Amino acid sequence: VEQRFVGQTALVTGAAGNIGLAVATRLAREGARLVLLDLDGDKLGHARDEVATLGGKVETVLCDVTDYKSVEAAVATAEAALGPVGLLFNNAGYQGAFAPIHEYPVEDFERVVQIDLIGAFHVLRAVSRRMVAQKFGRIVNTASMAGLQGPPNMGAYGASKFGVVGLTQVASKDLAPHNIRVNGIAPALMGPGFMWDRQTELQARTNTQYFSTDPEEVKKQMLGGVPMRRLGAMEEIPGVVSFLLSDDSSYITGVTLPISGG
Ligand code: NAD
């Protein structure tokens, strides 16, 4: 791959997770210095080892995105170690419970909103404030297809991801005068793996009209709605994020790009 991010510092949240690590690895291969931020210290150590094998500079910061002070401190630590953050992949997230809205657990709803929407805002605020001072920034927020078309039984997640799409549009306008572009990605069914298994298992258990009660059947039902008739692979995400962070997308801001097989 091209070394198009040489000399730049990228901050990735949810960096210990599947999508975060895949994107961090890609940005490191393209020459960026990497700050990996996550809540899970063990997984974060593994992610650091993986990114470090590529030879570039990498730092990790433990941080809970739901806590604004923790986010501010993490960004300050990151910048002290690797210099101003010009690239942000704002990606930490949690899928929440699966239940129809009239039965959706209240505490879980609040938790999902705290992480997926308010957490995304916290990171966006702390990082973009510094980008404004530098007059440079490229931001990609991780939304979801659930943030463009509300799926059944995912009230908290769908509402939060719709919020992320809205935040992306608003932030793109607020930050355009400061040479900061803000875009998003909306992955759909990714797998195989834990998320895909969890999602189909939990949808089956909701026992609602939309899905079979057999998880294997749910997989077929979901894939039946995808024009390309297959899951997305993790490797199909990093190139899109890299594109949105690079000058190849220099006239694109405020969009959320579906990665959904149609
Ligand atoms: P994942 O669970 O592998 O990664 C999520 C990471 O976020 C984890 O490492 C977790 O520790 C971290 N995290 C959770 N809460 C946090 C907090 N409060 N503070 C800091 N870090 C926290 O899942 P993933 O599939 O890599 O998901 C990444 C993003 O992609 C999420 O925003 C998710 O909603 C979104 N997404 C995933 C899919 C999919 O099918 N995998 C589809 C659409 C959107």
Side-chain angles (χ1 to χ4, degrees):
V1 294
E2 222 182 307
Q3 294 278 294
R4 54 183 170 183
F5 299 127
V6 173
Q8 298 197 54
T9 298
L11 189 148
V12 175
T13 74
N18 291 313
I19 294 176
L21 179 56
V23 168
T25 304
R26 167 74 182 233
L27 299 179
R29 284 172 58 215
E30 293 186 277
R33 297 184 287 265
L34 258 301
V35 182
L36 310 180
L37 185 153
D38 204 284
L39 184 64
D40 185 327
D42 293 341
K43 273 169 58 190
L44 195 55
H46 162 78
R48 181 194 46 228
D49 293 347
E50 205 160 310
V51 175
T53 60
L54 299 166
K57 283 192 179 170
V58 51
E59 287 286 331
T60 55
V61 201
L62 266 182
C63 171
D64 181 347
V65 297
T66 66
D67 173 3
Y68 187 68
K69 282 193 186 137
S70 161
V71 172
E72 270 288 345
V75 178
T77 304
E79 294 212 335
L82 292 184
V85 172
L87 312 173
L88 168 64
F89 184 44
N90 190 9
N91 164 75
Y94 161 58
Q95 208 174 37
F98 286 73
I101 210 73
H102 55 287
E103 289 165 4
Y104 199 96
V106 172
E107 277 173 19
D108 184 81
F109 195 102
E110 289 171 1
R111 176 99 188 117
V112 174
V113 174
Q114 285 292 338
I115 297 171
D116 292 1
L117 180 56
I118 299 177
F121 161 68
H122 287 161
V123 173
L124 187 56
R125 184 186 197 281
V127 175
S128 67
R129 212 182 64 251
R130 291 171 165 84
M131 287 174 167
V132 165
Q134 299 164 49
K135 299 190 172 58
F136 177 88
R138 306 289 179 251
I139 297 170
V140 173
N141 297 318
T142 301
S144 166
M145 280 310 285
L148 296 171
Q149 303 164 347
N153 304 314
M154 298 179 78
Y157 189 75
S160 300
K161 294 299 190 177
F162 265 80
V164 172
V165 173
L167 202 56
T168 300
Q169 290 184 5
V170 172
S172 73
K173 288 172 183 148
D174 292 347
L175 299 171
H178 305 283
N179 187 29
I180 300 168
R181 292 190 294 108
V182 187
N183 291 297
I185 57 165
L189 307 176
M190 307 302 299
F194 171 74
M195 290 282 274
W196 173 236
D197 290 339
R198 178 181 189 272
Q199 184 177 345
T200 46
E201 181 104 356
L202 294 183
Q203 283 290 23
R205 267 191 241 156
T206 61
N207 195 15
T208 52
Q209 67 178 350
Y210 300 100
F211 299 109
S212 162
T213 52
D214 170 8
E216 287 311 309
E217 197 52 42
V218 173
K219 290 185 178 178
K220 287 184 199 146
Q221 291 174 317
M222 286 186 175
L223 284 176
V226 179
M228 288 175 69
R229 287 292 190 278
R230 65 171 178 84
L231 290 172
M234 229 20 100
E235 306 78 60
E236 292 177 298
I237 293 182
V240 180
V241 176
S242 172
F243 162 72
L244 290 172
L245 291 174
S246 80
D247 289 343
D248 282 350
S249 60
S250 52
Y251 200 49
I252 300 178
T253 196
V255 309
T256 295
L257 212 55
I259 307 176
S260 63

